[in-house]
Amino acid sequence: MTRLTRADLEALPSYVPGRNVADLARELGIAEAIKLASNEVPYGPLPGVPEAVAEAVAAAHRYPDMGVLALRDKLADRYGVAADRIVTGCGSVALAEILAKTTCLPGDEILYSWRSFEAYPIVTAGVGAASVRVPNTPGHGHDLRAMADAITERTRLAFVCNPNNPTGTAVRAADIDRFLDAVPSDVLVVLDEAYREFVTDAEVPDALTRYGDRPNVVVLRTLSKAWGLAGLRIGFLVAQPEVATAVRKVLTPFSTSLVAQAAAIAALDAGDEVRRRCALVVAERQRVTEGLRKLSVEVPDSQANFVWLPLGERSAEFGAACEGRGVIVRPFQPDGVRVTIGTPEENDAFLAAAEAALT
Ligand SMILES: Cc1ncc(COP(=O)(O)O)c(C=O)c1O
């Protein structure tokens, strides 16, 4: 048969979404399953969001504002950056793709730590670039010295995922400072801070305030996690104006929907509630970590809304055992299992499933 699609995509692993709860509940014959597999916050949309969505839908027959002006102004205000440096997109994963498109031609290299966010290999292959993966440290974090050493003249983009998905570890300011000083000025460094709102370690920097002015740094944020808009697909990046302008040239037109723009504006007015929810997540993160350590699992300290169980070859089996008890987690065979922090009741159900699986 004539080849219609690129041969190299055959070897590319597909993005694996967390399993559907309704399917699992049906399969097990239980009323409800629990999903702790996609790093959402479990407390529903923020106050004001459902109303803003309902109102926006009335104009859904019209295209959205392609310039995303009202939302970019709101973000600019909140984060203290000029609006012309902000680009929004259909989730920060789409912006990661666009950044690859903005920087790379086939044969160029994209550098990242591994294991890290599973979309990085996909966006890299999407533009025909080569993935350069630097193994995580024995403590499951980024090895920024080794990453700096792995830069070649073909490197165009480096992702630093902080905190790292799926291990929850975070790199601190001194290490990032050193890394950024070592990176050539023509390599774009993307500091992916999807989980920034859950960080409690004072030495883990807010990249917007500490590195925002560096010409070759882009900060990537999402409204999917702490801000509760995963289903509406909205993220943003902050870059120097020249980089932002180049990004806009290859951005899919109208990719921040009218409803997502309205929802994000409403969500950003609920900052106090976000802080309250993040505090609940952080307290539960501590409790789940301690519960797992009592079961003799080595759990790295997490700065995100999930924990990492480095179970190696046993990861898939552990995931299946949890599913058998109605709790969907996210195994990354053969490295480990990522478990999102849910409500206290959900976390209790997970800890009970983990105990049954591990003892
Ligand atoms: C590190 C990291 N970056 C980006 C994203 C993408 O989030 P979204 O596309 O929902 O904004 C995720 C989602 O899981 C993530 O873990």
Side-chain angles (χ1 to χ4, degrees):
M1 202 177 91
T2 317
R3 180 176 292 289
L4 294 173
T5 57
R6 282 167 39 187
D8 62 310
L9 297 185
E10 274 165 31
L12 182 68
S14 298
Y15 191 97
V16 181
R19 212 187 144 182
N20 180 290
V21 263
D23 278 357
L24 181 63
R26 207 172 309 115
E27 189 182 301
L28 297 177
I30 56 177
E32 261 178 41
I34 294 169
K35 185 177 168 202
L36 301 177
S38 298
N39 298 345
E40 299 122 334
V41 167
Y43 301 112
L46 287 163
V49 167
E51 296 79 4
V53 165
E55 201 177 307
V57 160
H61 59 302
R62 301 285 183 199
Y63 281 99
D65 169 19
M66 190 162 139
V68 197
L69 289 181
L71 173 57
R72 285 197 298 125
D73 280 348
K74 187 110 191 159
L75 289 166
D77 245 25
R78 176 173 184 92
Y79 293 103
V81 295
D84 67 339
R85 297 180 53 202
I86 299 174
V87 184
T88 65
C90 177
S92 58
V93 71
L95 292 170
E97 254 175 6
I98 299 291
L99 284 163
K101 226 171 155 180
T102 312
T103 51
C104 291
L105 288 170
D108 288 337
E109 290 176 354
I110 297 184
L111 173 69
Y112 51 88
S113 191
W114 197 251
R115 200 171 261 284
S116 188
F117 182 32
E118 66 179 317
Y120 298 155
I122 297 174
V123 305
T124 302
V127 293
S131 275
V132 176
R133 297 175 174 191
V134 173
N136 289 342
T137 62
H140 311 283
H142 282 38
D143 185 341
L144 288 178
R145 278 178 203 270
M147 284 179 74
D149 289 345
I151 292 174
T152 72
E153 58 194 24
R154 287 165 60 205
T155 311
R156 306 261 33 94
L157 188 65
F159 285 109
V160 174
C161 189
N162 203 34
N164 187 43
N165 174 9
T167 61
T169 53
V171 271
R172 290 179 159 173
D175 295 328
I176 305 176
D177 289 355
R178 204 177 312 110
F179 174 72
L180 291 177
D181 288 343
V183 173
S185 59
D186 63 349
V187 173
L188 198 71
V189 178
V190 178
L191 297 170
D192 183 347
E193 294 192 328
Y195 302 97
R196 172 66 213 170
E197 292 82 356
F198 307 105
V199 170
T200 49
D201 178 344
E203 289 183 52
V204 176
D206 174 326
L208 280 177
T209 46
R210 192 171 178 103
Y211 305 115
D213 292 334
R214 296 216 181 201
N216 65 332
V217 166
V218 173
V219 181
L220 199 52
R221 295 275 181 100
T222 182
L223 295 174
S224 297
K225 312 295 180 183
W227 298 92
L229 296 180
L232 284 174
R233 313 302 305 122
I234 182 153
F236 66 98
L237 64 76
V238 179
Q240 289 306 306
E242 304 72 37
V243 175
T245 301
V247 165
R248 280 193 200 97
K249 289 198 171 155
V250 287
L251 196 62
T252 309
F254 303 110
S255 53
T256 309
S257 81
L258 178 112
V259 175
Q261 292 185 39
I265 289 171
L268 289 164
D269 280 333
D272 290 346
E273 174 62 6
V274 169
R275 265 190 298 281
R276 193 188 71 81
R277 292 177 177 198
C278 289
L280 291 176
V281 168
V282 165
E284 281 295 291
R285 174 175 84 194
Q286 191 56 31
R287 188 173 75 86
V288 171
T289 301
E290 283 161 15
L292 289 168
R293 286 178 182 161
K294 279 192 199 130
L295 299 172
S296 303
V297 187
E298 172 224 339
V299 183
D301 286 334
S302 172
Q303 288 292 303
N305 67 334
F306 51 83
V307 291
W308 176 244
L309 290 70
L311 294 174
E313 295 292 348
R314 290 185 298 153
S315 302
E317 186 190 322
F318 177 85
C322 290
E323 272 191 21
R325 292 180 158 254
V327 182
I328 304 169
V329 295
R330 183 71 171 86
F332 292 93
Q333 186 75 7
D335 294 340
V337 180
R338 189 192 69 201
V339 183
T340 305
I341 301 301
T343 62
E345 300 71 36
E346 290 172 338
N347 300 332
D348 285 343
F350 163 64
L351 286 170
E355 184 165 7
L358 294 168
T359 53

